[in-house]
Amino acid sequence: MLTVDKLSYSVGNKTILADINFDLQHNSLTCILGPNGAGKTSLLKQICGLSKNKSATIKFGDEDLLAMTELQRAALIAYVPQKTSSLPDFSVREFIQQASYCHSAKTLPIDLDAILLTCELKTIEKQSLSTLSGGEMQRVLFASSLYQASPLILLDEVTAGLDPAHHDSICQLIHKTKELHKLTYLWVTHDINAALRYADRILILKNSKLIFDDTPDALKNGILLSEIFEKEFKVLSDEQGQKYLI
Ligand SMILES: Nc1ncnc2c1ncn2[C@@H]1O[C@H](COP(=O)(O)OP(=O)(O)OP(=O)(O)O)[C@@H](O)[C@H]1O
Protein backbone atom coordinates (compact mmCIF):
# COMPACT_ATOMS: atom_id res chain seq x y z
CA MET A 1 0.00 0.00 0.00
CA LEU A 2 2.73 2.49 0.99
CA THR A 3 6.25 2.28 -0.39
CA VAL A 4 9.12 4.35 0.95
CA ASP A 5 12.14 4.10 -1.30
CA LYS A 6 15.60 5.60 -0.67
CA LEU A 7 14.37 8.24 1.74
CA SER A 8 17.16 10.43 3.03
CA TYR A 9 16.66 13.77 4.72
CA SER A 10 19.13 16.31 6.06
CA VAL A 11 18.88 19.77 7.54
CA GLY A 12 22.06 21.76 6.94
CA ASN A 13 24.82 19.19 7.43
CA LYS A 14 22.80 17.12 9.93
CA THR A 15 21.52 13.78 8.61
CA ILE A 16 18.07 13.09 10.04
CA LEU A 17 17.05 10.10 7.90
CA ALA A 18 19.53 7.97 5.96
CA ASP A 19 18.41 5.74 3.08
CA ILE A 20 15.15 4.47 4.57
CA ASN A 21 13.35 1.74 2.60
CA PHE A 22 10.21 -0.15 3.60
CA ASP A 23 6.67 -0.85 2.52
CA LEU A 24 3.42 -1.26 4.39
CA GLN A 25 0.82 -3.90 3.62
CA HIS A 26 -2.84 -2.89 3.47
CA ASN A 27 -4.73 -3.51 6.74
CA SER A 28 -1.65 -3.90 8.91
CA LEU A 29 -0.41 -2.30 12.11
CA THR A 30 3.27 -1.35 12.03
CA CYS A 31 4.96 0.21 15.05
CA ILE A 32 8.06 2.36 14.81
CA LEU A 33 10.35 2.18 17.85
CA GLY A 34 13.68 3.82 18.51
CA PRO A 35 15.61 6.03 20.91
CA ASN A 36 14.89 9.75 21.27
CA GLY A 37 16.10 11.73 18.29
CA ALA A 38 16.34 8.65 16.03
CA GLY A 39 14.21 10.26 13.31
CA LYS A 40 10.75 8.71 13.95
CA THR A 41 8.69 11.92 13.87
CA SER A 42 10.73 13.18 10.92
CA LEU A 43 9.85 10.00 9.04
CA LEU A 44 6.10 10.45 9.64
CA LYS A 45 6.33 14.10 8.55
CA GLN A 46 8.09 13.07 5.35
CA ILE A 47 5.40 10.51 4.56
CA CYS A 48 2.54 12.94 4.99
CA GLY A 49 4.37 15.68 3.09
CA LEU A 50 4.80 18.08 6.02
CA SER A 51 8.47 18.49 5.28
CA LYS A 52 9.50 18.57 1.65
CA ASN A 53 11.90 16.14 0.08
CA LYS A 54 12.50 15.99 -3.63
CA SER A 55 14.91 13.06 -3.56
CA ALA A 56 12.65 10.41 -1.95
CA THR A 57 10.07 8.23 -3.62
CA ILE A 58 7.00 7.71 -1.46
CA LYS A 59 4.16 5.93 -3.19
CA PHE A 60 0.64 5.07 -2.18
CA GLY A 61 -0.14 2.12 -4.41
CA ASP A 62 1.21 3.30 -7.79
CA GLU A 63 0.72 6.98 -7.06
CA ASP A 64 3.45 9.41 -6.09
CA LEU A 65 2.33 10.85 -2.74
CA LEU A 66 4.66 13.81 -2.87
CA ALA A 67 3.23 14.94 -6.23
CA MET A 68 -0.31 15.10 -4.82
CA THR A 69 -2.13 18.15 -3.50
CA GLU A 70 -2.64 18.34 0.27
CA LEU A 71 -6.32 17.56 -0.19
CA GLN A 72 -5.55 14.45 -2.25
CA ARG A 73 -3.04 13.28 0.38
CA ALA A 74 -5.50 13.94 3.22
CA ALA A 75 -8.01 11.61 1.60
CA LEU A 76 -5.37 8.86 1.82
CA ILE A 77 -3.42 9.66 5.01
CA ALA A 78 -4.46 10.96 8.42
CA TYR A 79 -1.74 12.16 10.81
CA VAL A 80 -1.94 12.48 14.58
CA PRO A 81 1.05 14.63 15.58
CA GLN A 82 3.05 14.35 18.80
CA LYS A 83 2.69 18.09 19.42
CA THR A 84 -0.09 20.42 18.37
CA SER A 85 0.60 24.06 17.81
CA SER A 86 -2.12 26.48 18.91
CA LEU A 87 -5.45 25.31 17.54
CA PRO A 88 -8.52 27.48 16.88
CA ASP A 89 -10.87 27.34 19.84
CA PHE A 90 -13.53 25.06 18.44
CA SER A 91 -15.60 22.69 20.52
CA VAL A 92 -14.56 19.03 20.50
CA ARG A 93 -17.40 18.17 18.12
CA GLU A 94 -16.72 21.07 15.73
CA PHE A 95 -13.01 20.23 15.62
CA ILE A 96 -13.52 16.54 14.84
CA GLN A 97 -16.19 17.42 12.27
CA GLN A 98 -13.61 19.36 10.26
CA ALA A 99 -11.48 16.26 9.78
CA SER A 100 -13.90 15.20 7.06
CA TYR A 101 -13.00 18.19 4.84
CA CYS A 102 -11.27 15.97 2.31
CA HIS A 103 -14.43 13.98 1.56
CA SER A 104 -17.68 15.13 0.03
CA ALA A 105 -20.63 14.80 2.43
CA LYS A 106 -22.11 11.98 0.36
CA THR A 107 -19.04 9.78 0.65
CA LEU A 108 -18.53 10.15 4.41
CA PRO A 109 -18.31 6.57 5.61
CA ILE A 110 -18.33 7.09 9.41
CA ASP A 111 -20.87 8.57 11.78
CA LEU A 112 -19.53 11.35 14.02
CA ASP A 113 -21.65 10.36 17.02
CA ALA A 114 -20.37 6.80 16.80
CA ILE A 115 -16.78 8.10 16.90
CA LEU A 116 -17.49 10.40 19.83
CA LEU A 117 -18.96 7.46 21.71
CA THR A 118 -16.18 5.04 20.82
CA CYS A 119 -13.48 7.52 21.87
CA GLU A 120 -15.35 8.37 25.09
CA LEU A 121 -15.78 12.01 24.07
CA LYS A 122 -19.57 12.27 24.00
CA THR A 123 -19.76 13.89 27.45
CA ILE A 124 -17.30 16.62 26.49
CA GLU A 125 -18.37 17.17 22.88
CA LYS A 126 -19.37 20.80 23.55
CA GLN A 127 -16.28 21.67 25.58
CA SER A 128 -13.77 23.97 23.88
CA LEU A 129 -10.35 22.61 22.91
CA SER A 130 -8.50 25.15 25.08
CA THR A 131 -10.07 23.68 28.22
CA LEU A 132 -9.19 20.02 27.58
CA SER A 133 -6.70 18.03 29.61
CA GLY A 134 -3.67 16.62 27.78
CA GLY A 135 -5.16 13.12 27.69
CA GLU A 136 -8.54 14.36 26.43
CA MET A 137 -6.79 16.26 23.65
CA GLN A 138 -4.93 13.08 22.64
CA ARG A 139 -8.26 11.29 22.33
CA VAL A 140 -9.75 14.16 20.32
CA LEU A 141 -6.83 14.00 17.88
CA PHE A 142 -7.19 10.24 17.56
CA ALA A 143 -10.97 10.60 17.02
CA SER A 144 -10.27 13.18 14.27
CA SER A 145 -7.97 10.76 12.50
CA LEU A 146 -10.75 8.16 12.49
CA TYR A 147 -13.31 10.68 11.23
CA GLN A 148 -10.96 11.73 8.44
CA ALA A 149 -11.70 8.23 7.12
CA SER A 150 -8.39 7.89 5.29
CA PRO A 151 -7.14 4.34 4.78
CA LEU A 152 -3.68 5.00 6.29
CA ILE A 153 -3.30 6.57 9.75
CA LEU A 154 0.05 7.82 11.07
CA LEU A 155 0.16 8.08 14.86
CA ASP A 156 2.93 9.86 16.74
CA GLU A 157 3.02 8.77 20.39
CA VAL A 158 -0.76 8.88 20.58
CA THR A 159 -0.86 7.09 23.94
CA ALA A 160 1.83 9.22 25.63
CA GLY A 161 0.48 10.87 28.75
CA LEU A 162 -2.70 8.79 28.94
CA ASP A 163 -3.74 7.17 32.21
CA PRO A 164 -3.57 3.33 32.19
CA ALA A 165 -7.29 2.84 31.40
CA HIS A 166 -7.33 5.30 28.50
CA HIS A 167 -3.97 4.00 27.31
CA ASP A 168 -5.42 0.49 27.04
CA SER A 169 -8.62 1.73 25.48
CA ILE A 170 -6.76 3.62 22.70
CA CYS A 171 -4.51 0.57 22.06
CA GLN A 172 -7.59 -1.62 21.77
CA LEU A 173 -9.32 0.96 19.57
CA ILE A 174 -6.37 0.98 17.20
CA HIS A 175 -6.51 -2.81 17.04
CA LYS A 176 -10.31 -2.91 16.69
CA THR A 177 -10.63 -0.16 14.06
CA LYS A 178 -7.86 -1.75 12.05
CA GLU A 179 -9.97 -4.90 11.77
CA LEU A 180 -13.38 -3.21 11.48
CA HIS A 181 -12.56 -0.50 8.94
CA LYS A 182 -9.66 -2.34 7.27
CA LEU A 183 -7.30 0.48 8.23
CA THR A 184 -3.53 0.55 7.99
CA TYR A 185 -1.66 2.08 10.91
CA LEU A 186 1.92 3.33 11.20
CA TRP A 187 2.39 4.09 14.88
CA VAL A 188 5.44 5.73 16.47
CA THR A 189 5.59 4.73 20.12
CA HIS A 190 7.94 4.33 23.06
CA ASP A 191 5.57 1.73 24.49
CA ILE A 192 7.52 -1.41 23.63
CA ASN A 193 4.98 -3.74 25.24
CA ALA A 194 2.07 -2.27 23.28
CA ALA A 195 4.13 -2.67 20.09
CA LEU A 196 4.97 -6.31 20.94
CA ARG A 197 1.34 -7.03 21.72
CA TYR A 198 -0.52 -5.25 18.91
CA ALA A 199 1.85 -4.75 15.98
CA ASP A 200 1.96 -7.04 12.97
CA ARG A 201 5.40 -5.68 12.30
CA ILE A 202 7.98 -3.47 13.99
CA LEU A 203 10.43 -1.02 12.44
CA ILE A 204 13.27 0.32 14.59
CA LEU A 205 15.12 3.53 13.78
CA LYS A 206 18.42 4.37 15.42
CA ASN A 207 20.82 7.17 14.50
CA SER A 208 18.76 8.08 11.42
CA LYS A 209 18.85 4.51 10.02
CA LEU A 210 16.27 1.76 9.78
CA ILE A 211 18.05 -1.03 11.65
CA PHE A 212 15.22 -3.53 12.20
CA ASP A 213 12.18 -4.52 10.12
CA ASP A 214 10.51 -7.74 11.25
CA THR A 215 7.66 -9.26 13.25
CA PRO A 216 7.41 -8.61 17.03
CA ASP A 217 8.39 -12.24 17.71
CA ALA A 218 11.98 -11.48 16.76
CA LEU A 219 12.15 -9.00 19.69
CA LYS A 220 10.30 -10.85 22.42
CA ASN A 221 13.39 -12.30 24.12
CA GLY A 222 14.60 -8.74 24.77
CA ILE A 223 18.16 -9.39 23.58
CA LEU A 224 18.10 -7.20 20.49
CA LEU A 225 16.11 -4.47 22.25
CA SER A 226 18.68 -4.41 25.07
CA GLU A 227 21.42 -3.82 22.48
CA ILE A 228 19.46 -1.17 20.60
CA PHE A 229 18.32 0.82 23.64
CA GLU A 230 21.53 0.15 25.63
CA LYS A 231 19.44 -0.92 28.61
CA GLU A 232 18.83 -4.38 29.99
CA PHE A 233 15.30 -5.75 29.49
CA LYS A 234 13.84 -8.60 31.52
CA VAL A 235 11.13 -10.83 30.04
CA LEU A 236 8.03 -11.67 32.10
CA SER A 237 4.98 -13.74 31.11
CA ASP A 238 1.40 -13.40 32.37
CA GLU A 239 -1.01 -16.35 32.98
CA GLN A 240 -2.02 -16.33 29.30
CA GLY A 241 1.62 -16.61 28.22
CA GLN A 242 1.66 -13.01 26.96
CA LYS A 243 5.27 -11.75 27.24
CA TYR A 244 6.20 -8.37 28.70
CA LEU A 245 9.52 -6.59 28.83
CA ILE A 246 10.48 -4.47 31.82
N1 LIG B 1 14.09 21.11 11.20
C1 LIG B 1 15.08 20.58 11.91
N2 LIG B 1 16.26 21.20 12.04
C2 LIG B 1 17.29 20.65 12.72
N3 LIG B 1 17.23 19.45 13.32
C3 LIG B 1 16.06 18.79 13.23
C4 LIG B 1 14.93 19.30 12.52
N4 LIG B 1 13.93 18.40 12.61
C5 LIG B 1 14.39 17.38 13.35
N5 LIG B 1 15.67 17.61 13.73
C6 LIG B 1 16.54 16.73 14.52
O1 LIG B 1 16.44 15.44 13.94
C7 LIG B 1 16.53 14.44 14.94
C8 LIG B 1 15.33 13.51 14.83
O2 LIG B 1 14.17 14.20 15.31
P1 LIG B 1 12.79 13.45 15.46
O3 LIG B 1 11.83 14.42 16.06
O4 LIG B 1 12.43 12.85 14.16
O5 LIG B 1 13.18 12.31 16.50
P2 LIG B 1 12.29 11.19 17.17
O6 LIG B 1 12.89 9.86 16.85
O7 LIG B 1 10.87 11.37 16.82
O8 LIG B 1 12.55 11.52 18.72
P3 LIG B 1 11.64 11.41 20.05
O9 LIG B 1 11.55 9.96 20.40
O10 LIG B 1 12.46 12.17 21.05
O11 LIG B 1 10.31 12.06 19.78
C9 LIG B 1 16.63 15.17 16.27
O12 LIG B 1 18.00 15.21 16.65
C10 LIG B 1 16.11 16.57 15.98
O13 LIG B 1 16.72 17.53 16.79
Side-chain angles (χ1 to χ4, degrees), residues 111-156:
D111 175 47
L112 178 54
D113 287 296
I115 288 190
L116 287 166
L117 276 175
T118 320
C119 297
E120 297 173 52
L121 295 168
K122 193 74 189 146
T123 55
I124 56 166
E125 65 173 313
K126 294 196 176 119
Q127 207 171 315
S128 70
L129 294 185
S130 63
T131 63
L132 298 182
S133 75
E136 288 166 346
M137 192 64 211
Q138 293 288 93
R139 293 194 339 261
V140 168
L141 293 173
F142 180 67
S144 299
S145 77
L146 289 179
Y147 197 56
Q148 192 170 324
S150 308
L152 172 61
I153 301 185
L154 311 183
L155 302 172
D156 200 349

Side-chain angles (χ1 to χ4, degrees), residues 166-236:
H166 283 113
H167 171 278
D168 288 358
S169 100
I170 292 280
C171 288
Q172 281 155 21
L173 259 181
I174 293 169
H175 180 68
K176 202 169 103 185
T177 50
K178 177 201 138 195
E179 302 300 330
L180 199 64
H181 303 296
K182 300 284 167 249
L183 295 174
T184 304
Y185 280 103
L186 183 59
W187 175 16
V188 166
T189 180
H190 286 294
D191 186 340
I192 291 173
N193 286 310
L196 293 180
R197 176 160 189 190
Y198 294 105
D200 300 305
R201 181 168 155 217
I202 294 181
L203 308 177
I204 302 183
L205 285 180
K206 187 171 182 181
N207 298 332
S208 318
K209 297 193 185 87
L210 182 59
I211 57 163
F212 178 90
D213 177 354
D214 206 338
T215 60
D217 282 344
L219 296 171
K220 281 185 178 162
N221 62 17
I223 296 170
L224 200 51
L225 284 169
S226 297
E227 275 173 32
I228 292 169
F229 286 93
E230 297 167 29
K231 168 206 173 327
E232 200 184 326
F233 285 98
K234 290 202 172 74
V235 186
L236 302 178

